Amino acid sequence: MASDAVGALPDENGKQRLIVLENAGMIDPEDIESYMAVGGYATFNDVLQSMTPPEVIDQIRNSGLRGRGGAGYPAGLKWSTVGKALGAQKYVVCNGDEGDPGAFMDRSIMEADPHRVLEGMMIAAYAVGASQGYLYVRAEYPLAIKRLKHAIKQAEKHGLLGHNISGTPFSLSLQVRLGAGAFVCGEETALLASIEGRRGQPRPRPPYPAESGLWGCPTLINNVETYANVVPILREGAEWFAGIGTERSKGTKVFALSGRIARTGLIEVPMGITLREIIYDIGGGIPDGRKFKAVQTGGPSGGCIPAAHIDTPVDYESLKQVGSMMGSGGMIVMDDSSCMVDVAKYFLEFCMTESCGKCVPCRVGTAQMHGLLEKICEGEATLDDLEMLEELCDMVTNTSLCGLGQAAPNAVVTTLHFFRDEYMAHIVDKTCPAHVCPVSRKEAVQ
Ligand SMILES: Cc1cc2nc3c(=O)[nH]c(=O)nc-3n(C[C@H](O)[C@H](O)[C@H](O)COP(=O)(O)O)c2cc1C
Ligand code: SF4
């Protein structure tokens, strides 16, 4: 067995539930026989032989599966839109761009169980009527790329890809395409432009890719983890899946747990578990006797959730209610040695650097916000600067073209909401309570 496949952290107190990661670390990801030995491709064969495409879509819809790439859009609805769209040529695309700092969920799935992703895409292609598919993977993931390419070759040899698969009229070809590491290329319209060989920049929607995607054709684009959920749903049934999680967030979610926490790594938990259970029961709490301060979910587009909300259930709606989001599954834990102004500056800087520059609010607005945050960290800002920062948050959120700009202010907005006293300490008292920012060094000199 390949020894470098990453599985979930040990489940010491039964809080995890492995569905997406059920094979991770248990099979040889470079051997199709190893995947088949645990039932791999049996679901695809069953679907081809005994289900119509609308029946498959109904199962996905009834399961309640929502997209795991960030926005949580209902997968069944998207599949149904592509299935109903008119067009002789349709495409399926897997989004494996994963550019969030600290995130490695999709990488681990692709590396540990590449056939599971392919099988999910094959079922999706059959359901929506696509005959060509692409896996878009960032070039910084060479092992994932190698294993996916190898898996495609093996599937072709076994007659699972190609013309008239298993003697049916269904044909499908899959290929891997590499991204060059721009965060914005994970945005679906930028990703599709990149596959077409154009500059990876977002475009206004509508039209959505489901109606007009690759080369103007209906295109189903889903995240790696979304596709990895498809096989268990069809194998065990929509009702089974819908029985896991909360009323509106079904199934499990894979998170990459990182930051100031005793156990870092991959976890898979049922939706509805609380942040406290994740941080203390699974992650082992905060090391070195320090105090938990905040947890950042949703990557650079997400927000910082303070200790007062540690009992928030992890589902799409609850995380939104506290100003953050599910995102694709990054979870960064912070203790009392973190300065929340500095944290907001870090995420804002990431968005500013990754802005593609196509629209002014994001290109110029994020740079202006970053300048103001630097001033605050230096201890040189006034209350007027703070007011300007808040106005810019509104402007950038409401007028940017794509999700990168629209969500870029989130880290600032949530830290301003929950940790305003820290901003005031930098601006009014000229001090950084966590002794992280340059203002505290100036303070020491005086
Ligand atoms: C700036 C930006 C970056 C994104 N990066 C990713 C990514 O790396 N992976 C991903 O699956 N979705 C990413 N998305 C979301 C995609 O646009 C799209 O919604 C997703 O691939 C749809 O799949 P899903 O419905 O299965 O979640 C990103 C969105 C934005 C605005
Ligand atoms: S919001 Fe930012 S990343 Fe998105 S199109 Fe505008 S400049 Fe590009």
Side-chain angles (χ1 to χ4, degrees):
M1 195 188 94
S3 57
D4 49 6
V6 178
L9 281 176
D11 191 16
E12 284 172 1
N13 40 20
K15 295 275 177 179
Q16 297 199 55
R17 173 108 192 224
L18 303 191
I19 294 175
V20 167
L21 298 177
E22 64 187 353
N23 298 332
M26 309 300 284
I27 61 165
D28 181 350
E30 297 191 0
D31 180 8
I32 192 170
E33 304 288 349
S34 176
Y35 181 64
M36 287 173 149
V38 293
Y41 292 116
T43 308
F44 174 55
N45 277 322
D46 285 352
V47 164
L48 272 192
Q49 302 302 335
S50 63
M51 289 177 82
T52 63
E55 281 169 351
V56 178
I57 294 176
D58 274 350
Q59 284 287 304
I60 297 298
R61 190 191 290 113
N62 295 340
S63 74
L65 175 67
R66 295 169 69 170
R68 302 300 197 231
Y73 191 80
L77 196 55
K78 200 188 274 187
W79 288 32
S80 154
T81 310
V82 182
K84 283 184 198 147
L86 299 175
Q89 178 69 58
K90 294 181 189 178
Y91 296 96
V92 284
V93 173
C94 176
N95 190 340
D97 198 48
E98 192 170 56
D100 300 18
F104 50 94
M105 304 78 55
D106 293 347
R107 190 194 88 198
S108 304
I109 296 168
M110 292 185 285
E111 288 179 358
D113 203 3
H115 286 287
R116 170 67 87 85
V117 183
L118 299 189
E119 191 176 355
M121 285 184 82
M122 291 172 186
I123 293 170
Y126 171 72
V128 303
S131 56
Q132 174 72 49
Y134 295 96
L135 295 107
Y136 188 87
V137 186
R138 58 196 296 111
E140 292 93 330
Y141 286 177
L143 187 61
I145 292 164
K146 181 184 139 206
R147 289 193 173 156
L148 285 168
K149 285 184 173 171
H150 186 65
I152 290 172
K153 279 209 182 104
Q154 289 180 325
E156 285 169 350
K157 267 196 195 147
H158 278 72
L160 295 159
L161 286 170
H163 288 292
N164 302 118
I165 298 165
S166 301
T168 68
F170 176 60
S171 301
L172 178 65
S173 152
L174 292 179
Q175 289 176 26
V176 176
R177 286 283 184 272
L178 306 195
F183 176 61
V184 77
C185 281
E187 194 279 339
E188 57 188 23
T189 60
L191 185 152
L192 298 179
S194 173
I195 291 180
E196 289 176 7
R198 294 185 291 116
R199 181 186 284 223
Q201 281 189 319
R203 62 156 173 83
R205 299 170 306 169
Y208 287 90
E211 279 155 347
S212 179
L214 276 178
W215 297 286
C217 301
T219 301
L220 176 72
I221 175 163
N222 275 128
N223 164 262
V224 169
E225 190 181 334
T226 313
Y227 282 124
N229 271 296
V230 169
V231 168
I233 289 172
L234 286 152
R235 188 185 65 208
E236 309 290 337
E239 264 184 38
W240 164 81
F241 190 82
I244 303 162
T246 67
E247 200 187 330
R248 294 180 64 190
S249 302
K250 303 296 188 191
T252 60
K253 181 76 195 82
V254 180
F255 287 100
L257 205 50
S258 63
R260 302 286 296 165
I261 186 154
R263 287 193 285 275
T264 58
L266 268 198
I267 60 166
E268 183 175 359
V269 288
M271 297 275 194
I273 190 169
T274 64
L275 289 168
R276 183 190 297 279
E277 287 172 286
I278 292 180
I279 293 165
Y280 286 95
D281 297 341
I282 302 175
I286 314 299
D288 306 327
R290 299 208 72 118
K291 234 175 105 192
F292 168 71
K293 186 167 192 179
V295 55
Q296 213 273 354
T297 66
S301 315
C304 297
I305 303 168
H309 290 285
I310 196 171
D311 290 309
T312 301
V314 173
D315 63 64
Y316 291 98
E317 279 69 33
S318 303
L319 289 175
K320 225 172 167 176
Q321 261 176 20
V322 289
S324 190
M325 63 191 291
M326 181 79 77
S328 58
M331 196 174 270
I332 304 170
V333 178
M334 287 163 264
D335 66 19
D336 55 2
S337 66
S338 296
C339 165
M340 300 314 287
V341 184
D342 182 61
V343 167
K345 184 161 78 79
Y346 168 79
F347 285 110
L348 199 269
E349 187 167 314
F350 179 86
C351 294
M352 175 186 76
T353 312
E354 293 295 331
S355 166
C356 79
K358 182 169 177 170
C359 65
V360 177
C362 170
R363 184 181 71 236
V364 181
T366 53
Q368 287 180 344
M369 288 175 70
H370 185 257
L372 288 167
L373 286 167
E374 279 203 314
K375 250 177 119 177
I376 295 173
C377 293
E378 295 278 348
E380 286 168 8
T382 63
L383 288 173
D384 285 346
D385 290 322
L386 186 63
E387 201 180 319
M388 172 70 79
L389 181 65
E390 292 188 289
E391 277 175 25
L392 282 168
C393 284
D394 278 348
M395 188 277 288
V396 174
T397 301
N398 294 321
T399 58
S400 291
L401 173 62
C402 85
L404 191 155
Q406 289 159 7
N410 279 353
V412 181
V413 171
T414 51
T415 50
L416 267 169
H417 182 72
F418 292 119
F419 301 95
R420 200 177 184 87
D421 53 328
E422 292 196 24
Y423 282 84
M424 297 311 274
H426 288 72
I427 296 167
V428 180
D429 307 332
K430 307 295 176 198
T431 179
C432 171
H435 308 291
V436 169
C437 295
V439 64
S440 57
R441 288 190 279 285
K442 288 182 188 169
E443 196 189 345
V445 169
Q446 276 164 11

